[in-house]
Amino acid sequence: MTATVYAVANQKGGVGKTTTALNVAAAMAELGAAVLVVDLDPQGCLTFSLGYDPDSIEPSLNDTIVGRTSMADTILQHDEVDVVPANIDLAGAEVTLLSRTGREYLLRGELSELLDSYDIVLIDCAPSLGVLTINGLTAADEVLIPVQCETLSHRGVAQLLDTIEDVKRLTNRELVVRGVIATMFDGRTRHAREVLQDLLARYELPLVGPPVRKSIRFAESPNVGATLVGAGTDVPGASAYRAIARELLALPVDPDLAAGAGWSDEQRDAALGLVREGER
Amino acid sequence: MTSDDRRPGTSAAFDRISSPRPGTAEGRDGLGKEALYSTSPSAAPTSPVDAWCRRCDVPFGVSVGLLVRLLVPPFLIDPVRRRVWTRCPACDRYAWIQLRTGQALRVLLDRDPSR
């Protein structure tokens, strides 16, 4: 068993990276996969969302970065998934790493010892471009790009794709952009549909799974220390993440699941402005 | 972009957004985003000599210019332990400064085909 490593990345903040990483991880675990999530954000939002207090966790990812402990020793076993936690000390790691040759490869080196123990590793990247994000992209096999369908997020994708070109040229030639995950999607607005259509057409990116509908339940779930998927909350967004997980694991997606996400094939094609083969 | 050469499905409303540049080093500023990568050929060069002051415990890079200044008399050289007794540029006191080959010189030596 060698894990596939996904970086969940977007330099723009607030697009749903952490929510996507957590819920996709939980949905994959639900399907029987051994999943590790790595919190690469000094804000520790992923760590907090799983019910831990980032400020009282020791050791954390920062201890691995500065060489105090191995990554395996930082892993916490949550009910849903295993997690490498982070806290605000990770902000200092950026500075520690800046003077180190080969700083881009540190996470890849640490993860390499764990790949045989998991099926899937999901890295929740920070909402900025720095050494940590470069580490995440260098360690990954594929990139998932969560996008909130608004103009500034569209611009964030352009900037991220530019960074991915740099990473492929300098540190990880094999990196593949798996596709875009449309988050907080409100299909009732023409702007959201236009952004998504333009994004997919302009950069020739695939859309992974159905768009994830906006729901207040996602904002509430960090309070209970469990993901929406893990808690069994019945909202379209949770079904969307289950469909995304199945697609990433190359499992068939039940039409009922897509319908539960609020996106039948017809709705999806209509929202994306696609014309089905038979209708041409 | 005119409507004729527009990719199907794209909208003129988003043409202001810059497209990602192709994956080449051409036109990249070595002191800009490229500086994030320690292995980038265009990244700013690091020092040829790394030094460490035994008195103030501060490591620092030594450029050629700084090396000349360190070797302004009076100074002592201990070739066995590869250290120099001179004025430390960090604490401005006389101390033993430990020297070792820096990244820039190591890269240069690694590229020497005679090695």
Side-chain angles (χ1 to χ4, degrees):
Chain A
M1 175 163 74
T2 297
T4 303
V5 182
Y6 293 100
V8 183
N10 192 330
Q11 290 160 226
K12 170 116 180 32
V15 297
K17 284 184 292 298
T18 302
T19 303
T20 297
L22 277 175
N23 284 281
V24 169
M28 287 175 161
E30 217 175 47
L31 293 165
V35 184
L36 173 70
V37 286
V38 180
D39 192 352
L40 205 55
D41 182 356
Q43 294 178 74
C45 291
L46 185 142
T47 305
F48 180 84
S49 297
L50 286 174
Y52 301 104
D53 174 12
D55 296 332
S56 63
I57 279 178
E58 207 172 327
S60 68
L61 182 58
N62 183 52
D63 295 289
T64 301
I65 300 284
V66 300
R68 277 198 286 258
T69 184
S70 71
M71 185 175 275
D73 291 337
T74 68
I75 293 175
L76 299 171
Q77 292 183 313
H78 187 264
D79 290 344
E80 299 177 47
V81 291
D82 285 1
V83 56
V84 174
N87 55 34
I88 196 66
D89 287 337
L90 194 58
E94 290 262 2
V95 181
T96 307
L97 286 172
L98 264 178
S99 59
R100 195 184 294 181
T101 307
R103 52 185 170 263
E104 308 92 322
Y105 301 94
L106 196 139
L107 184 63
R108 178 150 94 180
E110 290 292 333
L111 271 179
S112 65
E113 294 167 16
L114 300 170
L115 295 183
D116 288 339
S117 308
Y118 293 95
D119 299 308
I120 300 289
V121 177
L122 282 152
I123 302 169
D124 180 29
C125 293
S128 62
L129 177 58
V131 182
L132 290 172
T133 300
I134 301 298
N135 260 271
L137 294 172
T138 302
D141 300 308
E142 300 186 4
V143 191
L144 296 169
I145 309 176
V147 179
Q148 187 183 7
C149 294
E150 294 177 354
T151 303
L152 292 180
S153 276
H154 187 310
R155 183 167 176 264
V157 173
Q159 291 175 328
L160 178 66
L161 292 174
D162 195 63
T163 299
I164 289 170
E165 287 295 325
D166 289 342
V167 169
K168 286 166 80 169
R169 175 168 54 88
L170 294 166
T171 62
N172 185 4
R173 196 172 297 175
E174 309 299 325
L175 186 63
V176 171
V177 178
R178 180 60 186 258
V180 164
I181 294 175
T183 60
M184 298 177 247
F185 191 74
D186 186 349
R188 293 170 302 179
T189 67
R190 188 200 295 173
H191 181 65
R193 295 195 304 269
E194 273 180 359
V195 168
L196 189 57
Q197 283 171 26
D198 187 85
L199 201 59
L200 301 179
R202 192 175 291 262
Y203 305 128
E204 296 180 320
L205 294 170
L207 178 67
V208 182
V212 181
R213 278 197 184 181
K214 205 170 192 172
S215 166
I216 192 62
R217 300 280 175 230
F218 285 115
E220 291 170 349
S221 69
N223 287 336
V224 296
T227 66
L228 276 196
V229 168
T233 310
D234 186 22
V235 292
S239 299
Y241 279 123
R242 286 193 176 96
I244 290 166
R246 294 189 74 90
E247 195 171 318
L248 292 174
L249 292 171
L251 297 171
V253 180
D254 189 337
D256 287 346
L257 190 59
W263 289 91
S264 64
D265 285 353
E266 290 77 15
Q267 285 171 313
R268 177 177 156 136
D269 289 354
L272 298 181
L274 303 174
V275 180
R276 310 190 85 190
E277 285 297 319
E279 296 166 3
R280 279 187 182 157
Chain B
M1 190 186 285
T2 65
S3 57
D4 290 339
D5 57 8
R6 176 173 305 289
R7 195 191 294 268
T10 59
S11 161
F14 304 106
D15 283 350
R16 254 188 74 211
I17 296 171
S18 310
S19 294
R21 294 173 292 179
T24 62
E26 199 175 317
R28 306 264 170 166
D29 181 358
L31 293 173
K33 195 167 76 157
E34 200 89 345
L36 283 168
Y37 303 88
S38 69
T39 48
S40 165
S42 60
T46 52
S47 55
V49 176
D50 289 339
W52 167 62
C53 173
R54 292 173 65 97
R55 191 158 181 179
C56 65
D57 197 25
V58 170
F60 51 92
V62 181
S63 63
V64 175
L66 180 57
L67 189 64
V68 170
R69 270 192 282 149
L70 287 178
L71 298 181
V72 170
F75 67 90
L76 288 170
I77 295 180
D78 179 354
V80 178
R81 294 183 184 172
R82 288 202 271 180
R83 57 185 188 168
V84 181
W85 192 79
T86 185
R87 189 183 289 275
C88 167
C91 63
D92 206 31
R93 293 176 296 186
Y94 274 89
W96 283 108
I97 309 288
Q98 198 75 45
L99 301 174
R100 66 187 180 95
T101 313
Q103 186 201 347
L105 199 56
R106 282 201 303 276
V107 169
L108 202 66
L109 294 173
D110 286 346
R111 284 181 185 170
D112 182 353
S114 64
R115 284 172 60 89

